[in-house]
Amino acid sequence: MIEERPLFIPEQNIVLEHNGDIDPEVLEDYSKIEGFTALNHVLTEMTPPEVIDQVSRSGLRGRGGAGYPTGLKWQTVAKAPGTPKYIICNGDEGDPGAFMDRNVMEAYPFKVLEGMTIAAYAIGASQGFLYVRAEYPLAVQRLKNAIRQMEKHNLLGKNIAGTPFSFDVDVRLGAGAFVCGEETALIASIEGRRGNPRPRPPYPAERGLFGCPTLINNVETFANIAPLLRKGAEWFASIGTEKSKGTKVFALSGRIARAGLIEVPMGTTLREIVFDIGGGIPDGKAFKAVQTGGPSGGCIPSDYLDMPVDYESLLKLGSFMGSGGMIVMDETSCMVDVARYFMEFCMSESCGKCVPCRVGTAQMYQLLTKIVNGDATLNDLALLESLCDLVRNTSLCGLGQGAPNPVLSTLRYFRDEYIAHIVDKRCPAGVCPVHKREHQEVNA
Amino acid sequence: MTVVTLKIDDRDVSGRDDETILEIARENGIVIPTLCYLEGLSIAGACRLCLVEVKGTSKLLPACATRVSEGMEIHTNSERLTQYRRTIIEMLFAEGNHICSVCVSNGHCQLQDAAVALGVDHIGVPYLHPHRHVDASHELFGIDHNRCILCARCVRVCDEVEGAHTWDVGVRGIEARVVTDFSTPWGDSDTCTSCGKCVQVCPTGALFAKGKSAGEMTKQSEFVEYLVAMRGRRS
């Protein structure tokens, strides 16, 4: 049983505001909580450059993980020569332990669409696509329903709200490939081709969908737009840290008392997230690490619990903001096993196009398997490290470039666990096959 | 289009700003190894052998896909790049089942040539020994997947030059394979025109003409460049 103590929650809701108050399938409910006021205001009283200026000054950065300044991206697409222009909402969330975008699409479909429509007005797009993974049927259903209702109320389609601006949105389903969250692979997938990434530049802002300038933002980024424009750039910029503004939605999971979605201002410390909001580690176990950033991320040990969470500090620790998954681990988790889990994920999700990712992830997975089985030598560890360096620096897209991160970060903070497996043939957490073998030998 | 000057390996060279690093380097006799690149086909950027160092960015850039710009300073041959290239070649050998002595392309193989040029004298990564198949159902040609390095030249030439799109890539990751039609036997293909372009552009012995024995399969891929030039370049 989880102790029902009052939550000390420094949470602040922008994306998840009015959580649970409205019916996500009823447009009138969304209107009641100031829905579409930003869109109406933008269409009738602001020019596209003014909208972009507001977004730039707010300091909003891409919530898909890399943290590219949203205003700058919009400006680039707006200025890119060529028509038509397209806008894509990336809802292909696929990190293990991540369910932020799912919740946002299921609970706030109108808000996502309002953000997209404002973005379309700002950059001059007339067609948008919502790329949602097929594993999220409720999100797909609610987004399609929201599109229909908005069309009925003249908030999508021709001459929106009586203005000359027209914009249509269609939903496209992902077919289960993680790599399709990578923007160039996603574009290929919408075009009806195999979801393989291609070298950038040219970036989608210049040559994207069907060769046209294309804006791609994450679900959560779009969900920030309406509140940002309703309350102003200064208000938004007053939340968060110097370089990371606003809030971030995280999906807390793993060995934690209260798993679930939280939204906190940027700069909230890991300690506040794990212990104050998440209620700490259950069953009296000790905290060991928190994994952020999914398969491209890393594990942060207890020494850094007081580090404020923002884009820069996570990178400095060898991890990554990512889309917002946070997997908490306690003393019963083996860090080598964790690294092996994520490597297996990258290996099976690699598209197979470039050699370092296709072969490198398979080789690294084999080496990690050898280590957890107690069959590895220190030479294998050296090879593993050199492959990490190669795959990170030579892979074509972010999937391969990020794949070594879970290994590199666990090596950085938990190297002794690797050595224990290799030299002492022992798993400190007692979960790996090498541990079971050791016990069999003792008993025999 | 403007003309730019730049430095490759400390040599002053010039080019148009719509040309790539690889094109300018080759014009000037500077060798950058490639496997997936083939003049006349679209750029894949898949083999990663042509990665070069460009001053001002910490990222390695594919020479085949990177346009030149004024004042660029490029290094194509550092110790670090050579080491990466060697390991990539080793990975390719370890990934498939490459036995040169019995291969139809022995002596005329671009993977073999690249390994020799880069001084790959042993394979430092474990062999994966995959179970792969041979499809000999086509009347004139065969494919031995054991020798395929997934450069996708066959896929591109079939789509972009022949216009048949018989070849594509199926499955993903380490399981990825080139496939004909809906991953059905090549001999049953409704789309294949039996033109043999895929065989000619294949850098290894994966695609071959039937009736060739070890070392007998020589290939001419230059026709692609010629055909594309005669038809007028589209891009």
Side-chain angles (χ1 to χ4, degrees):
Chain A
M1 276 300 286
I2 298 162
E3 186 190 344
E4 281 297 327
R5 63 182 165 128
L7 299 185
F8 161 68
I9 298 191
E11 282 194 76
Q12 182 163 9
N13 289 338
I14 298 177
V15 174
L16 307 180
E17 63 187 348
H18 302 285
N19 196 357
D21 291 350
I22 57 166
D23 184 339
E25 304 200 352
V26 181
L27 184 138
E28 286 76 11
D29 265 32
Y30 180 62
S31 299
K32 263 185 247 162
I33 55 158
E34 297 182 275
F36 303 116
T37 52
L39 177 62
N40 280 314
H41 176 73
V42 161
L43 291 184
T44 51
E45 282 165 54
M46 288 173 85
T47 64
E50 281 169 1
V51 179
I52 295 175
D53 180 57
Q54 284 280 315
V55 176
S56 297
R57 282 196 290 125
S58 75
L60 175 64
R61 295 168 63 176
R63 297 293 192 247
Y68 192 81
T70 306
L72 182 59
K73 202 185 234 184
W74 288 22
Q75 194 175 42
T76 314
V77 183
K79 286 187 176 167
T83 49
K85 286 176 184 168
Y86 291 104
I87 189 159
I88 297 172
C89 175
N90 186 347
D92 194 47
E93 175 177 67
D95 290 0
F99 43 90
M100 301 77 51
D101 294 350
R102 172 186 193 156
N103 181 270
V104 173
M105 289 187 287
E106 287 177 359
Y108 309 96
F110 292 106
K111 196 177 199 172
V112 176
L113 284 161
E114 184 181 3
M116 271 184 90
T117 313
I118 292 170
Y121 173 73
I123 65 156
S126 53
Q127 174 69 52
F129 291 96
L130 275 153
Y131 189 87
V132 187
R133 63 189 306 212
E135 291 89 339
Y136 287 172
L138 185 61
V140 172
Q141 179 213 314
R142 289 193 171 157
L143 285 165
K144 284 185 172 167
N145 168 64
I147 292 172
R148 265 199 310 277
Q149 291 195 35
M150 282 174 72
E151 283 169 347
K152 222 186 283 172
H153 286 79
N154 191 222
L155 292 161
L156 274 178
K158 283 227 173 328
N159 301 106
I160 294 175
T163 66
F165 173 65
S166 300
F167 180 59
D168 288 298
V169 180
D170 280 317
V171 176
R172 289 285 180 277
L173 301 192
F178 175 72
V179 73
C180 285
E182 198 279 341
E183 56 184 20
T184 60
L186 190 155
I187 286 171
S189 174
I190 292 184
E191 289 173 346
R193 296 184 289 122
R194 180 178 161 91
N196 274 5
R198 60 156 178 81
R200 300 175 304 177
Y203 286 91
E206 188 192 342
R207 286 187 68 177
L209 189 61
F210 305 116
C212 300
T214 302
L215 173 75
I216 301 193
N217 276 140
N218 167 267
V219 169
E220 194 183 328
T221 313
F222 281 129
N224 270 295
I225 297 299
L228 184 165
L229 287 163
R230 216 163 54 220
K231 297 182 186 170
E234 286 69 30
W235 165 80
F236 192 88
S238 70
I239 305 162
T241 63
E242 194 197 335
K243 287 185 173 169
S244 303
K245 301 298 186 190
T247 60
K248 180 78 194 82
V249 181
F250 291 104
L252 275 179
S253 63
R255 314 263 185 193
I256 190 150
R258 282 189 289 266
L261 277 190
I262 60 160
E263 181 176 6
V264 290
M266 292 278 190
T268 306
T269 65
L270 274 175
R271 190 183 299 281
E272 287 172 298
I273 291 175
V274 173
F275 290 95
D276 296 342
I277 302 174
I281 317 294
D283 307 328
K285 295 275 196 300
F287 171 89
K288 189 171 196 176
V290 54
Q291 207 278 350
T292 74
S296 309
C299 297
I300 301 167
S302 56
D303 296 356
Y304 299 97
L305 271 173
D306 291 312
M307 189 73 148
V309 175
D310 62 16
Y311 293 100
E312 279 74 27
S313 60
L314 286 175
L315 272 183
K316 222 186 293 168
L317 292 178
S319 188
F320 182 60
M321 176 71 83
S323 53
M326 275 195 180
I327 304 171
V328 180
M329 288 168 278
D330 67 14
E331 55 194 299
T332 63
S333 313
C334 167
M335 303 316 279
V336 186
D337 189 52
V338 167
R340 178 173 170 269
Y341 168 80
F342 281 106
M343 192 56 72
E344 183 177 17
F345 182 87
C346 289
M347 174 180 75
S348 25
E349 293 299 336
S350 163
C351 75
K353 179 174 175 175
C354 79
V355 185
C357 175
R358 178 179 77 230
V359 191
T361 52
Q363 291 282 2
M364 290 191 286
Y365 174 71
Q366 275 205 353
L367 289 168
L368 288 162
T369 305
K370 248 175 124 175
I371 296 175
V372 299
N373 286 338
D375 296 329
T377 64
L378 286 173
N379 285 340
D380 290 317
L381 184 62
L383 178 61
L384 178 66
E385 292 192 86
S386 88
L387 288 177
C388 282
D389 173 62
L390 173 96
V391 174
R392 164 187 254 190
N393 288 305
T394 63
S395 290
L396 171 58
C397 81
L399 194 158
Q401 289 160 11
N405 257 353
V407 180
L408 288 168
S409 86
T410 48
L411 272 170
R412 178 166 161 188
Y413 300 117
F414 301 97
R415 198 180 185 90
D416 51 331
E417 292 197 20
Y418 282 81
I419 301 297
H421 285 77
I422 295 168
V423 179
D424 310 334
K425 308 292 176 199
R426 180 176 70 79
C427 173
V431 297
C432 289
V434 62
H435 173 79
K436 286 160 201 146
R437 212 165 69 181
E438 172 198 4
H439 279 247
Q440 273 163 8
E441 278 162 17
V442 171
N443 294 336
Chain B
M1 192 271 292
T2 45
V3 175
V4 295
T5 55
L6 58 148
K7 272 193 163 87
I8 305 183
D9 293 341
D10 298 319
R11 272 175 58 186
D12 289 309
V13 294
S14 67
R16 296 193 315 264
D17 65 357
D18 62 350
E19 289 182 293
T20 63
I21 296 175
L22 184 65
E23 286 169 327
I24 307 275
R26 293 208 166 158
E27 258 174 49
N28 288 280
I30 297 165
V31 178
I32 301 175
T34 57
L35 275 176
C36 65
Y37 175 83
L38 188 68
E39 170 108 43
L41 299 182
S42 64
I43 300 297
C47 73
R48 316 307 284 171
L49 280 181
C50 73
L51 289 177
V52 293
E53 292 165 350
V54 177
K55 197 177 167 187
T57 168
S58 58
K59 280 198 166 176
L60 303 175
L61 301 177
C64 65
T66 308
R67 301 247 164 118
V68 291
S69 61
E70 180 62 39
M72 236 181 189
E73 287 183 42
I74 300 153
H75 287 276
T76 69
N77 229 337
S78 66
E79 184 50 42
R80 175 185 181 218
L81 288 174
T82 307
Q83 199 47 55
Y84 282 158
R85 286 170 186 159
R86 274 192 200 133
T87 311
I88 288 172
I89 296 284
E90 290 173 28
M91 282 179 161
L92 285 171
F93 275 105
E95 174 197 29
N97 297 303
H98 296 273
I99 301 147
C100 295
S101 57
V102 297
C103 177
V104 288
S105 287
N106 191 14
H108 322 284
C109 169
Q110 292 177 28
L111 176 64
Q112 197 180 40
D113 292 347
V116 173
L118 287 162
V120 176
D121 47 18
H122 68 286
I123 306 299
V125 293
Y127 282 97
L128 299 179
H129 300 300
H131 287 282
R132 293 189 185 176
H133 298 284
V134 178
D135 181 354
S137 59
H138 192 280
E139 193 187 346
L140 304 171
F141 314 117
I143 178 161
D144 185 344
H145 289 284
N146 293 292
R147 303 169 184 156
C148 176
I149 58 169
L150 284 165
C151 66
R153 282 187 189 180
C154 53
V155 176
R156 285 175 283 154
V157 79
C158 188
D159 178 46
E160 295 163 16
V161 181
E162 179 62 9
H165 203 130
T166 301
W167 290 103
D168 211 319
V169 179
V171 212
R172 65 181 179 228
I174 197 76
E175 305 287 327
R177 299 286 177 270
V178 290
V179 296
T180 42
D181 287 357
F182 291 105
S183 199
T184 42
W186 193 0
D188 297 346
S189 172
D190 296 326
T191 57
C192 177
T193 61
S194 302
C195 71
K197 290 186 177 70
C198 52
V199 176
Q200 295 302 324
V201 300
C202 174
T204 70
L207 282 160
F208 56 87
K210 283 185 170 174
K212 300 284 183 189
S213 183
E216 289 182 354
M217 185 72 221
T218 53
K219 298 177 178 182
Q220 265 81 42
S221 60
E222 299 77 16
F223 76 93
V224 179
E225 194 184 335
Y226 174 77
L227 266 183
V228 171
M230 286 301 111
R231 290 174 183 179
R233 224 175 174 147
R234 274 170 299 177
S235 73

